[in-house]
Structure formats: C-alpha cells, structure tokens
Amino acid sequence: MRDRIVIIMTMITVLVACSPKNGEKITGKTKTDPFIEQLMAKMTLDEKLGQMTLYTTDWESTGPTIRSGYQDDIRLGRCGALFNSHTVEFTTLLQKIAMEESRLKIPLLFGYDVIHGYKTMFPIPLGEAASWDLAAIENSAYIMSKEAAASGLHWTFAPMVDITREPRWGRVMEGAGEDTYLGSRIAEARVRGIQGENFAKADRLLACVKHFAAYGAPIAGRDYNSVEISERVFRETYLPPYEAAIKAGAKTVMTSFNDYNGVPASGNKYLLTDILRNEWGFNGYVVTDYTSINEMVNHGVAKNQTDAGIMAVNAGVDMDMQSAAFQEKIKAGINDGRVKMEKIDASVRRILMLKKELGLFENPYRFSDKKRETTTIMAKENLDASKDMAKKSVVLLKNSGILPLAKKPMKILVAGPLADDKNNLIGAWSASGEGRHCVSLYEGLRQHPAAGNYSFEHIKGCEIEGNDQTQFSIILEKAKTSDIIILAIGEHKDMSGEAASKSVIRIPGVQEDLLKALKSTGKPIVTVIMNGRPLILNDVHSNSDALLEAWWLGTQSGNALADIIYGDYNPSGKLPISYPRNEGQIPIYYNHKNTGRPLNPNDKYTTKYLDVPNTPFYPFGFGLSYTTFTYGVPTVAKSTFSSQEPITVSIDVRNTGNFDGEEVVQLYIRDLVASVTRPVKELRGFQKVMIKKGETKKVTFTLTKKDFEIYNQNMEKVVEPGEFHVFVGGNSDTQNKVSVTLQ
Ligand code: GLC
C-alpha cells in the first residue's frame, strides 16, 4: 500500500514539476519515467546533488586539480559520474563500489576525452577535417567509440566543434578549422559515429558537444582568454556547429571556459537556457568544463563558490565537473529559495534518464566485458581504418614532380627529429593511445612493399627544440651521397592542444636551418610537416621540392605516409584552415568581408598592408594531387529563381593528369547586395569524387533556401532577393563562377 501511495505522490510531483512555472516555457521534452520518479522520491538532497557531480579520478590529470577520495564520494553518493577512469578492470572496480556500498546503488557514468582515438589513434581532428571525407570521419568516430565502450566507458567529451580562426590557439588541433559549413557537417558526422542510431549499444558512447560556446574565438588566440564577438558573428560563424551536433542527436553539452557577452558560459542563461533549451529544444544534460563553475569567481561574476554554483544551476547547468560546487555549496541557495527544487529535480531527472537509457540500471556492468575489450582494442580493422583516415588527411602543399618517388634504385636519406619519432604521432588529447604502438615514418618507408627499390639511411640532424647544430656536418655528408632526402620536421605534440597557445607559429628550434643546409646540397627534398596547427611555411615551401602537411596522423602514420610517398595513394586532402604568411595577418580567413575600400594594389587608399599581401600563404580548401583537375564552367538551368525553388548547379571536372585521384569539389556563394555586409565567399557545398585519369565527371549540387539565409539588420533569419555568384572550384581562391538571381 505504501509503495502505491509513493507512486501516486510521485506522479503528482511529476505533473507539478512539469507544469510551466511562472510562465517558464517547457523546454525540450522533459521525459518522465515511473522508475526514475520512484527512485528520485527516495533520494536525499545530498544524493540528488551527487548525481549532478562529476569528478576525475587520480588516474590522469586533464585540468588544474585532481581529487582524492573519489571512492568515498561514490560510497556516500557524493558523485554520480567519474572521468579519466577507463579499462574494464578499473571501471568495474568503481562500479562495484556504487552498486554494493552506496545506499541507493545508482550506477556510475564513466566519461573520458576520447577525441581522435581511444587506443588505436586516428589523425588529430584538424587532420581528419582535411580529408573532407564525412564517411571516413564518421567511421573514425565510430571505431574510437567502439574501443572506448569496450573499455568500460559510456560517454566521451567529444566532438569538439569550436570553429576557430586562430592558429595561435593550441586547441585548433581539436576542431574542424575555420569554416562553419564544413565544421557543421563534420560535427554531424562525429555525433553519428559516436552515438550511432542508439547510443546504448555496446559499441557506442554518449556524445558531448563542446565547448559551448565560441571557445574558439579567444582574444589574441590565447587559451582561456575572453571572447568578444558580435551577436551576428556569434550566430553566423560560431554557433551553427553546436546546433548541427545537437540536431544530429548529441545527448550532452559541455560549457566553455570563456565568457560570452560578458557572462561566463557556465553561468550564461542566454546560452544554456534561452538558446539550448528554448530555441533548440535540447533535452539532454549540460556538464560544465573542468572547475569552470568555481572559475566564475576569477571571472568576477561571483563572490564565492556558493554564488557561482547558484548562478550555474539557475543558468541551466545540470552537472558540475570537478568544482564540487553543487555537492558542497549550493544547498544554502536551495534552503533560502535562490535555487528552486524543481531545477534540481529537472537536472537529476535528465541525468538518471540517460543512465536508464544506457541500460545501466538493468545491468551496470554491461560495458564491462573483458573478452570484448581484448578482441576490440587495436583490432586489425581498427588499424586499417586508422591508416585509411591518415592517408585521406594528408595535404600535398607542393610537388615539383619528385613525388611519387620513382620506382628505380635510389638511396634515400630519411632525416629530421620526427623521421623516426613515435611518441608525438598520437598528438594531443590522445586518450589511452601509446606512442609505442605507432609506425614511424622511417619504419613505414622501410617496411612498405615498394621499399625494395631503395636503400635507406637515417639521421635526426637536430632536435625539435634547441639550437644544437652539431649534427649538421654529418648529415650534409650523408646527403651528398644520397639521391633524395625525406625530411620530417615540425612541432612536439604538446605544442598544441589545451593551454598550448603560441604567439609565434613557426617550426621551432633549428629545424628550418637544417632544411636550408640540406637545400644547399642540391639534392631533392621531400619535407613532411608534423604539427597540430597551421604554421608559417613560406621558407619551408621554397626550400622543399615537395611538401606534405601530415598533422599528427596517429598509430598508422608511417604506413599511410609511405603509401603516399611511394604513390600507392594519391594525396587528396584540402586545408580546413587558412595558413598565414606571418602572425601579423591573424586572424585571416577566406570568408572575409569586402570592406568599403577593397584591395587595389594601385590605389594607396585601399585595404592592405605595407609589408605583406592580404592573401594567406595557403588558402582555405587548398591541396594538390599527383594529377591535375580541370574545371568546366558551373551551369544552372536558368538564371532567375524564386527563393522557394532549389537551384541545381552542375560542373564537369576532368582529370587531366597521369594518376587516378580524388578531388574535393567545393561550392561557394557570394551575396552581392544585401541589407547587411556579406562575405566575399561562403562554402555551401563540397563533394569528394574519385576521377580516373583522362576521365570527366559531372558533379551536381543542389542549393536550397537555407543556403541563402542571412540575419538581417534586426537579426531575423531571412532570404533576400538579389544577385548571387556561385563559385565551383578546387579551393576557396576559385573565380570560376556563374551568376544566379533570387526573386
Ligand atoms: C579540459 C578540457 C575539456 C575536457 C575536460 C575533461 O579542461 O577543456 O575539453 O573534456 O577538461 O578532461
């Protein structure tokens, strides 16, 4: 009888809780479930606040604090989720504490930063973005999730979808570059790969869209710095990829460290409630970034941790990562009415519902299968996928014709500090990845089936950092007796990633001096750049006969690069971000405005520098191939359309070289006259197509009303009539266009 009363009371509570409070719009679908309601009815306030608390273990540190005593926190119901804890063994140990020693036996959620691989490492996300291959990117996200889920994890703090125009910002390596359209399509692909059709399957994870919002726009590219952008730039450039990820079904969102419009994201009601819940109907939960609630005291918007916690929960945060503000401080706010119990219950409900949907109440150990872990981790199909993704991510920036290597006996000098390096190949945010599992460039070149044509010698020549040139004389001697040099230079993996911004983005140490010295030998040089950000490559370009942008390619780096250098794979990558000529040009991006005084080299009073061209060294969308592609003129059925009808744009692309190859055909639009200033180009479509040598392929795009939408002067989304240019080409510099008019 008592249980029935409890259930009835619970249902009444639920009805009351879900009714609009003081005119508050019901945001999203606050689903309810009798089991959850019954459980919540038993929970103390401390236990509810515990479910809203996420702590790191002391296994790894991904932020400024580490927490000891988390096992007691589990026993006492003071936390409902942990991160930086993985493997079946460790997650099982922790889950058993929750299931056998806590009062209510609510299963734990395990999260981890599985960003571009769990154990099998894939290229850094910026590298994957250079593939422009959404299917490959989705598969990469799937495989990393499959390995992580097999290791006891339920939740990854990915995808990171922060658009950035800042190569000085270390976390540029973690996203998809500068473009909103490409970034949005990649965000969708990564959510699909991580969650699949059903995130509760044993080979999928909960996704977490981060960092909400506009974390990629820190002033001066300095990590954690303020973000000062207009609502227009925010909504046009930075916001869409988060929305795309949420519309793709992402179940959790992580707040960013920065303030937006003067309010830190973790306390920003405009972001977390007005946009996320009310505009987008998001019904998952919001977790803060690492101690970012407490950091609102540093931001100067909260006197103390209690006020910060109250501000966060009232803004729309559901789960507190590592501040302990919810668990230890906000009860005062609940007792004095500054925090409504409905808010707490709504957050707890969202979190428990996802635990239930993950199947953790039925079987808290359903992701803890030791046999599955053993057979899944580093499985051959995972390594094959990693190599495939790596090949597709490499961008050919220059080729005088020495690539692919001629299949004739040659002595190859493999040089540079990254030529036989393994540890850096996993890049930043490498989860459980290990450098020792990687194939170095030198190994890949020697173990490849085509290696039989060549003899090899290897010497580092210098370190990544420092000014020691003592090996130069030796390496120059070896170069003189070699037929060709393959030089691997670049950054250390920890020179990008979080808290790794740089004011100078050039190759460190004496590596460029080494390249120049080798250049003086007159031997042909293939330079392979390994890095986590765009670098200033002007001199590297001029001193190299061929130049490959190889990012951090992950576990299969050497095998992928060998396939490219020997010609088994024709490089197809295109830059997802502009490369500046120098740091003074930053921010520099392709979709800039025309200004009132557009560049005219012959007119003093037009927008330019005195000391450098306006253009980047390499433009967004740039990448070469071993073959050449010739574009016809883009064609449309007619020149005038109503804004309601789709516009089909076709173009013939011909492979006019000697290799089969993939080309990323890109479509951009320009709104010539609008009620507000518009960029000179905006990416609105791309297709990566394989075209055999000598063949021509017709590529067709369909533009819809959505592609022409802008925010007018009142920030209303509209489609305005007028003339548009539609460009189609192999990079954002294309002038190959057709004109269309919308009525
Ligand atoms: C870090 C990062 C965030 C990550 C989190 C947990 O500070 O900003 O991307 O998911 O903390 O490691």
Side-chain angles (χ1 to χ4, degrees):
M1 182 56 182
R2 185 184 174 291
D3 284 354
R4 221 193 324 275
I5 291 173
V6 167
I7 290 172
I8 293 165
M9 288 308 292
T10 307
M11 293 315 287
I12 291 169
T13 310
V14 167
L15 287 175
V16 167
C18 283
S19 60
K21 276 272 153 302
N22 43 47
E24 184 183 6
K25 233 170 87 177
I26 288 207
T27 58
K29 295 184 293 301
T30 315
K31 290 181 289 185
T32 57
D33 172 290
F35 168 81
I36 297 297
E37 298 311 316
Q38 216 171 39
L39 173 58
M40 286 179 65
K42 298 174 190 166
M43 293 171 77
T44 64
L45 177 57
D46 279 332
E47 287 164 335
K48 288 182 176 178
L49 296 174
Q51 289 301 308
M52 296 169 68
T53 298
L54 166 67
Y55 287 142
T56 180
T57 66
D58 52 8
W59 253 31
E60 292 169 36
S61 161
T62 53
T65 63
I66 273 284
R67 187 168 176 91
S68 56
Y70 53 90
Q71 302 198 11
D72 287 335
D73 291 326
I74 298 169
R75 280 187 192 92
L76 298 169
R78 289 197 300 233
C79 76
L82 287 162
F83 65 113
N84 294 330
S85 48
H86 48 97
T87 72
V88 164
E89 185 181 4
F90 190 41
T91 54
T92 301
L93 180 150
L94 297 174
Q95 195 69 285
K96 277 169 76 74
I97 295 172
M99 301 317 294
E100 296 174 4
E101 301 180 46
S102 76
R103 188 177 81 89
L104 289 174
K105 307 181 184 349
I106 298 173
L108 291 170
L109 209 51
F110 294 116
Y112 193 39
D113 291 287
V114 185
I115 308 296
H116 59 106
Y118 170 74
K119 185 64 80 177
T120 301
M121 295 313 297
F122 286 77
I124 56 171
L126 188 64
E128 289 195 350
S131 74
W132 295 58
D133 186 327
L134 298 178
I137 291 170
E138 179 177 340
N139 188 50
S140 160
Y142 165 57
I143 286 175
M144 76 177 197
S145 303
K146 185 164 70 167
E147 289 197 347
S151 306
L153 289 161
H154 309 125
W155 180 29
T156 179
F157 304 136
M160 184 276 216
V161 303
D162 305 319
I163 293 297
T164 191
R165 296 161 164 172
E166 265 298 346
R168 295 173 292 185
W169 186 51
R171 299 194 79 163
V172 62
M173 55 67 62
E174 204 177 339
E178 75 187 40
D179 183 71
T180 306
Y181 182 88
L182 177 61
S184 298
R185 302 295 78 76
I186 288 175
E188 292 159 349
R190 288 193 169 131
V191 169
R192 288 194 301 266
I194 292 167
Q195 293 191 169
E197 290 302 315
N198 174 4
F199 58 78
K201 283 182 64 186
D203 60 352
R204 302 285 181 171
L205 299 170
L206 283 179
C208 183
V209 189
K210 71 184 187 183
H211 303 79
F212 193 64
Y215 178 38
I219 291 171
R222 198 175 71 239
D223 206 358
Y224 314 129
N225 203 0
S226 267
V227 165
E228 290 296 350
I229 53 179
S230 68
E231 173 82 3
R232 175 175 300 284
V233 169
F234 178 58
R235 287 205 172 253
E236 284 181 353
T237 302
Y238 293 94
L239 204 54
Y242 304 107
E243 182 177 13
I246 283 160
K247 295 289 191 288
K251 282 298 175 191
T252 72
V253 169
M254 183 185 294
T255 64
S256 55
F257 292 118
N258 57 283
D259 57 348
Y260 171 67
N261 206 11
V263 182
S266 298
N268 195 313
K269 183 179 172 299
Y270 175 65
L271 296 180
L272 306 184
T273 298
D274 300 351
I275 293 180
L276 207 49
R277 302 281 180 199
N278 296 346
E279 275 188 45
W280 296 349
F282 175 61
N283 63 6
Y285 66 75
V286 174
V287 63
T288 64
D289 202 343
Y290 209 111
T291 62
S292 61
I293 290 179
N294 293 346
E295 290 164 14
M296 291 204 279
V297 177
N298 296 335
H299 275 288
V301 293
K303 236 180 13 281
N304 52 45
Q305 208 184 345
T306 300
D307 289 356
I310 290 167
M311 184 175 177
V313 73
N314 285 335
V317 171
D318 299 301
M319 190 184 281
D320 160 10
M321 180 193 288
Q322 196 65 6
S323 286
F326 286 3
Q327 226 290 312
E328 296 172 0
K329 300 291 182 185
I330 66 168
K331 259 190 278 188
I334 296 167
N335 296 337
D336 65 18
R338 283 178 289 167
V339 176
K340 302 242 175 304
M341 201 52 214
E342 289 89 14
K343 279 268 183 189
I344 302 297
D345 285 338
S347 296
V348 174
R349 190 170 286 118
R350 289 185 187 116
I351 294 162
L352 293 177
M353 281 300 286
L354 275 173
K355 289 187 177 183
K356 185 168 186 292
E357 288 174 38
L358 274 168
L360 294 177
F361 283 104
E362 280 82 30
N363 176 6
Y365 305 102
R366 60 186 296 263
F367 288 79
S368 310
D369 177 334
K370 189 72 193 148
K371 186 171 176 304
R372 181 169 64 220
E373 181 181 46
T374 308
T375 56
T376 305
I377 301 295
M378 302 277 283
K380 183 180 179 312
E381 64 264 25
N382 303 354
L383 294 169
D384 291 348
S386 171
K387 179 181 170 185
D388 178 66
M389 187 79 253
K391 290 190 303 190
K392 292 173 175 173
S393 302
V394 173
V395 184
L396 178 63
L397 297 174
K398 179 180 180 181
N399 187 20
S400 62
I402 63 168
L403 285 182
L405 289 192
K407 292 187 172 17
K408 65 180 185 183
M410 285 196 290
K411 183 181 173 195
I412 303 176
L413 176 62
V414 184
L418 292 163
D420 200 26
D421 174 280
K422 289 167 170 280
N423 287 329
N424 286 299
L425 298 178
I426 55 179
W429 291 114
S430 52
S432 180
E434 298 177 60
R436 67 187 177 90
H437 292 147
C438 293
V439 177
S440 73
L441 170 61
Y442 185 40
E443 285 172 339
L445 289 168
R446 278 182 302 135
Q447 65 193 25
H448 191 282
N453 297 306
Y454 313 109
S455 62
F456 298 91
E457 189 149 11
H458 166 255
I459 180 167
K460 280 177 78 170
C462 69
E463 297 304 325
I464 292 172
E465 291 184 284
N467 54 18
D468 176 3
Q469 302 194 17
T470 51
Q471 281 191 41
F472 278 30
S473 53
I474 306 164
I475 199 167
L476 292 177
E477 282 312 303
K478 292 184 182 302
K480 285 173 187 153
T481 58
S482 303
D483 297 302
I484 189 165
I485 301 160
I486 297 178
L487 178 69
I489 54 176
E491 295 182 312
H492 186 279
K493 70 179 175 68
D494 296 331
M495 289 176 173
S496 58
E498 184 173 356
S501 294
K502 294 180 74 178
S503 66
V504 173
I505 54 172
R506 296 165 194 260
I507 294 182
V510 295
Q511 298 178 80
E512 287 203 49
D513 303 293
L514 175 60
L515 170 57
K516 283 184 190 122
L518 289 169
K519 173 77 176 169
S520 66
T521 66
K523 300 291 183 180
I525 302 172
V526 176
T527 303
V528 181
I529 302 290
M530 298 183 184
N531 53 312
R533 59 156 42 87
L535 296 172
I536 307 297
L537 296 178
N538 316 15
D539 293 345
V540 173
H541 183 98
S542 54
N543 289 318
S544 305
D545 296 277
L547 179 57
L548 291 167
E549 171 54 86
W551 318 105
W552 298 116
L553 289 175
T555 308
Q556 288 289 296
S557 295
N559 291 334
L561 285 166
D563 269 4
I564 288 171
I565 290 168
Y566 293 144
D568 286 24
Y569 180 77
N570 183 356
S572 60
K574 300 275 187 177
L575 296 177
I577 190 167
S578 307
Y579 277 47
R581 297 173 186 276
N582 65 33
E583 292 86 352
Q585 285 188 312
I586 297 169
I588 182 167
Y589 45 93
Y590 84 93
N591 45 353
H592 59 81
K593 300 295 184 70
N594 202 37
T595 78
R597 293 191 174 185
L599 172 66
N600 173 352
N602 307 314
D603 179 343
K604 172 183 171 63
Y605 297 103
T606 61
T607 182
K608 65 173 102 60
Y609 299 98
L610 295 180
D611 58 350
V612 72
N614 290 1
T615 54
F617 192 73
Y618 302 119
F620 172 81
F622 175 78
L624 300 175
S625 169
Y626 291 154
T627 191
T628 49
F629 296 102
T630 304
Y631 283 72
V633 177
T635 58
V636 287
K638 53 185 179 176
S639 58
T640 304
F641 297 82
S642 88
S643 63
Q644 302 308 320
E645 64 180 312
I647 299 175
T648 301
V649 184
S650 297
I651 191 163
D652 286 342
V653 184
R654 184 171 179 72
N655 180 335
T656 46
N658 301 318
F659 294 87
D660 298 348
E662 295 155 288
E663 171 69 334
V664 180
V665 181
Q666 301 156 45
L667 181 145
Y668 299 86
I669 65 170
R670 179 179 184 178
D671 190 343
L672 296 178
V673 179
S675 56
V676 291
T677 55
R678 302 300 305 149
V680 296
K681 276 203 183 84
E682 295 176 87
L683 183 70
R684 283 293 179 271
F686 60 88
Q687 293 183 41
K688 187 164 192 174
V689 292
M690 168 56 83
I691 307 176
K692 292 192 177 307
K693 63 184 178 188
E695 282 195 359
T696 296
K697 195 159 260 186
K698 181 179 288 297
V699 181
T700 300
F701 297 90
T702 300
L703 294 171
T704 64
K705 177 175 174 229
K706 192 165 175 44
D707 293 311
F708 295 96
E709 280 180 344
I710 64 170
Y711 287 98
N712 64 15
Q713 291 185 19
N714 302 322
M715 288 304 288
E716 298 148 340
K717 255 190 186 177
V718 296
V719 174
E720 296 178 342
E723 186 184 1
F724 293 79
H725 283 164
V726 179
F727 302 85
V728 184
N731 68 63
S732 59
D733 269 357
T734 181
Q735 292 308 318
N736 191 27
K737 65 177 183 293
V738 64
S739 178
V740 296
T741 300
L742 290 192
Q743 280 173 335

